[in-house]
Structure formats: C-alpha cells, structure tokens
Amino acid sequence: MRKLTLLIFFFAFLVAGNLSYADAREQAKRIHDRLTGVPPSEPMLDAMQNAIENLSGPVLAAQYAMDGAPGVSATGQFYTTTLKNWSTPWTNGARDAFYPLNDYSATVIGMIRDNVDFREILSGNIIYTGNISGIPGYSATNNNHYEYLEDSNANLGDAGVLVAGVQSTVTGLPASAVAGVMTTRAAARAFFVDGTNRAMFRFTILNHWCTDLEQLKDTSLPTDRIRQDVSRSPGGDSTLFLNQCAGCHTGMDPMAQAFAYYEFDYPSEEEQPGLSEEERMDRGQIVYTDQVVQEKYHINENNFPYGYITPNDHWTNYWRLGDNSSKIGWLNPPTNSGSVDLALNDAFSEGDGAASMGQELANTEAFAHCQVKKVFQTVCLREPMSSEKTEFDSFVANFKVGYNLKQVFAEVAGYCSSHLN
C-alpha cells in the first residue's frame, strides 16, 4: 500500500511538473505571438520559458521577444510589423493601417526601439531615416526613401538600419519650427494640406489623447480667439453657435494658432496636368513661413468680420479652465507670459509655436492613458475591462516614470498572456 501511495505521489509530481512546463511554455508562445505576430523559434521559446520560470518572469520574456535573448536573435517583427501597423493609422486622415512606412511612423518605431522619452513625439527635434544599401536619400517632396526601406524587408529593430537624426538637419526646417512627428512630411501631407490647420490639432488629440473634440466641448470658455471663418449664426441660428460650435472652437482655435506658419504645398493641376490631386499631393512638401501667418488662417473672413484675426503663432490653452481643467489631467503647472488679458490668466498656459504646444499636450494624464490604452488594445486584442482598473493604472504609473513605451508593451504582454478573458 505504501509503494502504491509513493507511486501515485510520484506520478502526480510528474504531471504537475509537466503542467507547469506547459503553462510557462504556452505563456511564452502567447507573448511572442502577440508582440510579433509570428511563432517563436525553438531556441527563443526555450529562452522565454526559462525567463518565465527562473528569472524575472513574463516581462523579461516579452523583452526577449522584442529585442532578442542571450545568444538568440529576435525576428524584428515587433518593429517591422507590429509597431508599423500600430503607428501608421496616426499618419493619415483615413486612419488606415495599410499606408506605406513614412517619416512619422518610422520615427515612432525608432523612438520606441531606443527607449526615447515618448513625450518627445510631439515636440522633439528628432527623425528616423533608413540606412541600407541603395536607398534613395530623404526627400521633402516624396516618400521614396521610406517605401524603399519597407520594400527591402530590412529589420527595423536593427539600430544600423533605422537611424536617429536631427529633424531640422534632415528636413531643412528651422530648429524652431520642428515639433516631433507633427512636423514630419507625412503629418503635413495629411493634416496641413489645404483646410485651416485645425485638422493637425484635431488628429493629434485624437491619436495621442484617444479622444475627439466632441468629448472636450466646453461652452463656458471665452470665444475671443475663434477665427472669422466660423459663423456666429450658422443657418441663421445663433444658439447653434453658442451651444454647439463654440464648445469645440473655444479650446481648439487658440491652440491651433501654434500652426499659423505651416502649409503643405503641392503642384497645381496647371503645373502638372494629367495627374490626380492625390498624385500631385504626393509630390508636395511642408512649408514654414517664419513670422508670416499662412493665408488659410484668414479665409472666409466675411463669415464673421469681428472674429479673431490671427497675428502670429502664439497659442493659449483655455482648456486649463472650465470642464477640461480636471478631465485632461495637466501634469505641469500653467505657464504664461501674461499677454492675454483674462481674469484667470494665471490658470491657463500659453506659448509660441508648435513644439511648446506639443509639450503641453504630452504632459497630461490623457496622453499617458492613451498610449497605454493603445498598447493594451494591440497586445491583448481587446479593451481593458473595468475590473482591471488597478492593473491598468499601474501600467500608466510605470509609464510616467520614464515614458518608456517599450516597457509598457513588455508589461502588458506579460499580463495579457495570463489573462485571456
């Protein structure tokens, strides 16, 4: 009887050991699949399993999947595929993930790979370009450089393939005009083209705050900075302006003034006949007119002649007042020069140019929560649940320590690999 008991115990021990082995190995495989989209090699799977069982757990395993384990190279697919598809919708108005690699998406990929403070995405003088044999040089008037890099199937995780540079040196913009990805050619082609430059502001908060203007409407703020092109009586109804239009424009127009010197210029039909507008836009380039406000800021002035006439690129953040003073979660104290005469002018921020405005947007709880939410959606293939608030808030808090987004990918992948519901 005693021998039988020992045999049963030994068999149970083996089964438990095998289940533990299978659990760790399966978890490692899930982590690799979620981060790269491809199955791991056997040596990589062994290394990731060992990390889960004996070292620092699933976070280290996730780091192996992204950047390689000791003696085992990573596939590079985390950068070349996952991050490329993750960031590409931010680079176009259609929010299409199938657009070609460009200077916006390449810069996002490079910054994450190199653990750059991700707040710099909206203000830094940084850009990433390719460095492979035969690649055409960076051009201000086409995307050939990045399409060649993508078509080469080069490993964007390789620091020698995707290289950090100074954006003003690469693109020719003055350093004072550079504002992270907002001043890349891809962003300009999507959001500075035609229009009134409000698109750049709207899509920046949509992509990096995960919220649209509708959710930020506040009709209690001053209307003194709303431009002339916004009718105060649309359809002859002034209440429509007061109750709807003003709610978005009171916050957006003073902030979008930061882009007053930018345009995306492309050939006219007369200059290049036979090409569609899209084809002509593909040959356009960003333009910056220092100290000269673009004409688009003065269009349709007769809609309301008494509206605001933009004199420069001085922006003001009225959202630090009213409903959005707490909703956004401003992390820095307000900064202002006192140039705007409001009763509460010590409560809002103001500054000059796109880079300082980008810093204002990036130093918010909304920015931090949005980045983590986008990572969670990509890695976990679902929205975070209300029951996971504690875990989600922990990811956000860890992100804010150094704004290292690759670490967020690792932490979320480790978590979701064992929380499949």
Side-chain angles (χ1 to χ4, degrees), residues 146-346:
Y146 293 96
E147 292 181 29
Y148 185 97
L149 179 61
E150 182 174 21
D151 292 343
S152 74
N153 294 316
N155 182 356
L156 301 184
D158 186 340
V161 168
L162 192 61
V163 180
V166 177
Q167 187 178 145
S168 56
T169 300
V170 172
T171 66
L173 285 176
S176 59
V178 169
V181 295
M182 293 190 292
T183 50
T184 57
R185 182 182 183 275
R189 193 239 184 263
F191 310 127
F192 282 150
V193 65
D194 302 329
T196 60
N197 284 359
R198 291 183 178 103
M200 179 64 79
F201 183 75
R202 185 226 167 179
F203 278 93
T204 297
I205 65 170
L206 187 63
N207 293 327
H208 297 290
W209 278 4
C210 297
T211 190
D212 210 343
L213 291 169
E214 277 293 312
Q215 287 75 54
L216 300 170
K217 284 198 308 185
D218 186 349
T219 57
S220 70
L221 299 177
T223 61
D224 61 319
R225 295 283 286 278
I226 301 179
R227 296 183 221 164
Q228 294 173 305
D229 62 330
V230 179
S231 172
R232 269 49 169 190
S233 300
D237 184 0
S238 60
T239 61
L240 184 61
F241 167 77
L242 293 172
N243 297 326
Q244 297 294 330
C245 308
C248 293
H249 284 279
T250 53
M252 172 173 58
D253 279 20
M255 295 285 267
Q257 190 170 330
F259 304 126
Y261 304 152
Y262 297 92
E263 173 66 286
F264 186 79
D265 185 42
Y266 61 96
S268 66
E269 189 174 8
E270 291 74 23
E271 291 171 324
Q272 295 194 351
L275 297 180
S276 68
E277 184 175 43
E278 284 292 311
E279 290 172 326
R280 287 184 282 111
M281 287 169 62
D282 285 340
R283 301 183 181 193
Q285 63 181 321
I286 188 173
V287 172
Y288 178 79
T289 51
D290 190 17
Q291 305 301 314
V292 178
V293 176
Q294 290 288 335
E295 282 302 312
K296 61 172 65 181
Y297 276 73
H298 304 306
I299 64 173
N300 299 322
E301 70 273 15
N302 290 327
N303 284 353
F304 188 70
Y306 303 105
Y308 185 71
I309 300 173
T310 303
N312 50 40
D313 67 350
H314 187 85
W315 59 269
T316 306
N317 182 8
Y318 286 179
W319 279 341
R320 280 189 181 257
L321 313 174
D323 294 343
N324 294 312
S325 60
S326 58
K327 184 186 299 184
I328 300 304
W330 308 99
L331 299 179
N332 284 349
T335 57
N336 68 80
S337 61
S339 64
V340 180
D341 185 18
L342 288 176
L344 296 175
N345 68 345
D346 60 342

